[in-house]
Amino acid sequence: MPLDSSLDVSTDRDVQFTFTVTNSGADPVDLSFSDALEADFAVLDDGSERWRFSEGRMFAQMLGSETLDPGGAATYEATWDDPDSGSYTAVATLEANETECEARAEFSV
């Protein structure tokens, strides 16, 4: 699947993640989701998981879909509240069925 992705991280009091998935192909791409979690975000500290957006959360058990036209993009966001100081790696993963797409970014708090 011709998907490109990027992950932007901004820090203030909280850490804001913005994951953008873009269809770089010539044909529309259909994304299907098995629940309301369309993208997940994790924070790694030297390879160990420090925080995960989906941890301890419930997501509606409903099928969903989204079509990305050629050149079209979808954006997913999450916030890590009250982070500890340090240097981390953020990983954003598209949770669409039968699709592999992720982006990484280094950041410090």
Side-chain angles (χ1 to χ4, degrees):
M1 222 177 262
L3 296 176
D4 292 329
S5 61
S6 64
L7 178 58
D8 293 319
V9 180
S10 62
T11 57
D12 191 7
R13 282 187 178 163
D14 302 328
V15 180
Q16 305 284 327
F17 304 100
T18 304
F19 178 42
T20 304
V21 177
T22 304
N23 178 359
S24 59
D27 298 315
V29 171
D30 294 319
L31 303 174
S32 62
F33 303 92
S34 57
D35 61 26
L37 179 64
E38 296 177 330
D40 203 2
F41 300 81
V43 173
L44 307 178
D45 182 2
D46 287 330
S48 297
E49 191 169 289
R50 181 68 177 239
W51 174 85
R52 179 171 288 276
F53 173 72
S54 62
E55 183 77 25
R57 296 175 188 240
M58 302 283 290
F59 296 92
Q61 297 299 306
M62 60 183 205
L63 298 178
S65 65
E66 184 169 3
T67 299
L68 295 181
D69 291 326
T75 300
Y76 309 96
E77 298 179 331
T79 302
W80 181 20
D81 298 320
D82 196 29
D84 293 329
S85 295
S87 295
Y88 303 103
T89 301
V91 181
T93 307
L94 184 65
E95 295 295 317
N97 299 324
E98 301 178 16
T99 304
E100 290 189 25
C101 182
E102 78 170 26
R104 293 174 174 255
E106 305 292 324
F107 71 98
S108 295
V109 177

